[in-house]
Amino acid sequence: MNNITPVRRIPRKNRSLSGEVSVPRLKISVAYESGLERDFVFINAIDPKVKNIVSQPCRIHFTDKNGQERHYTPDYLLTFASAKTRPQLIEIKYSEELQEKENELATKFKAARRYAKDQNWKFLTLTEKDIRTPTLGNAKRLLPLQAPTPNPDKSSILFTKATTGQSIERLLDKVEADGMNRAGAFNTILSLIAHSQFIVDLTQPLTPATIIRKINKGDDHG
């Protein structure tokens, strides 16, 4: 599944936001052509369950209501670490555009659902209501921490002291009592979360009250 590559390159435009997001965890860069697409990449870049993010993954041919042959390229394909989770073919639209172009998009989306079903994938349309959630705030905070390696000495101490079901604040109390700088320890905890060594509920804002689960070798990230 990782050998799927974009079927077209996203052009750089003067009037719209386009570019690439570097995802160190996956050792890839993912293209986007709107701010909403960029934010979608952000939230999936920090999700340890996501194995790959492919932009412009396939070209779907269909016949429109006037009998004309058309083609349509969905925005992304997500694949997952668990073989039990079907890949997701994703179309990203602002909710206002979905409403305004409902009839125009219906035929495209019908073709996409049929194509996804044939591949044993799932087709989804996502809007800003799905993407611009607290997870996005966490992603903007954590993604820059994926490139540097967490401090090995601090990481070892934190990992030893951590227990699943413990809050970040409680872990900080433990290591501070042993002489570790609290601010430095907190930054290392964020780095460990960014590297999926500590798992938290990313759908909620990260705070000292956030509960952590540490990942041992061979553990499931789900």
Side-chain angles (χ1 to χ4, degrees), residues 90-140:
I90 306 290
E91 179 65 29
I92 294 170
K93 287 279 188 287
Y94 284 97
S95 52
E96 183 178 3
E97 184 180 2
L98 277 181
Q99 293 174 352
E100 289 177 351
K101 298 181 178 179
E102 182 178 4
N103 293 333
E104 177 185 338
L105 295 171
T107 306
K108 289 182 179 181
F109 292 171
K110 182 178 179 181
R113 282 190 290 271
R114 184 186 307 115
Y115 182 91
K117 183 178 180 180
D118 289 344
Q119 308 299 318
N120 196 29
W121 299 347
K122 181 187 291 187
F123 175 70
L124 298 173
T125 57
L126 302 180
T127 72
E128 72 280 4
K129 297 175 184 177
D130 304 297
I131 295 168
R132 290 180 172 159
T133 67
T135 303
L136 179 59
N138 293 332
K140 290 179 177 179

Side-chain angles (χ1 to χ4, degrees), residues 26-220:
L26 301 175
K27 299 180 173 62
I28 59 173
S29 291
V30 184
Y32 61 85
E33 54 185 349
S34 72
L36 191 58
E37 288 188 9
R38 177 202 58 200
D39 292 347
F40 168 82
V41 176
F42 280 164
I43 64 174
N44 285 285
I46 63 162
D47 186 342
K49 299 186 294 297
V50 172
K51 183 179 180 181
N52 199 16
I53 310 166
V54 183
S55 64
Q56 311 286 304
C58 57
R59 183 174 287 112
I60 298 171
H61 297 271
F62 67 97
T63 304
D64 69 16
K65 62 182 180 180
N66 297 317
Q68 298 295 313
E69 292 295 320
R70 306 286 186 185
H71 68 264
Y72 157 57
T73 305
D75 294 316
Y76 293 97
L77 178 71
L78 294 181
T79 60
F80 298 89
S82 172
K84 296 178 182 178
T85 305
R86 285 190 293 162
Q88 295 178 356
L89 190 61
I90 306 290
E91 179 65 29
I92 294 170
K93 287 279 188 287
Y94 284 97
S95 52
E96 183 178 3
E97 184 180 2
L98 277 181
Q99 293 174 352
E100 289 177 351
K101 298 181 178 179
E102 182 178 4
N103 293 333
E104 177 185 338
L105 295 171
T107 306
K108 289 182 179 181
F109 292 171
K110 182 178 179 181
R113 282 190 290 271
R114 184 186 307 115
Y115 182 91
K117 183 178 180 180
D118 289 344
Q119 308 299 318
N120 196 29
W121 299 347
K122 181 187 291 187
F123 175 70
L124 298 173
T125 57
L126 302 180
T127 72
E128 72 280 4
K129 297 175 184 177
D130 304 297
I131 295 168
R132 290 180 172 159
T133 67
T135 303
L136 179 59
N138 293 332
K140 290 179 177 179
R141 192 175 188 182
L142 295 173
L143 188 56
L145 300 177
Q146 282 188 359
T149 303
N151 181 288
D153 295 330
K154 290 180 181 178
S155 296
S156 178
I157 294 170
L158 286 162
F159 205 76
T160 300
K161 294 287 186 180
T163 57
T164 289
Q166 184 179 60
S167 70
I168 291 176
E169 186 169 34
R170 179 62 186 134
L171 177 56
L172 289 173
D173 290 342
K174 282 185 179 181
V175 297
E176 186 178 36
D178 289 342
M180 186 182 290
N181 175 271
R182 193 178 185 92
F186 182 68
N187 289 334
T188 304
I189 289 171
L190 292 181
S191 184
L192 289 168
I193 294 171
H195 285 81
S196 304
Q197 293 176 343
F198 284 165
I199 299 300
V200 301
D201 181 1
L202 292 171
T203 66
Q204 300 299 318
L206 280 171
T207 71
T210 295
I211 300 299
I212 60 174
R213 175 167 69 92
K214 67 179 184 179
I215 294 295
N216 296 299
K217 189 174 181 180
D219 283 356
D220 184 1

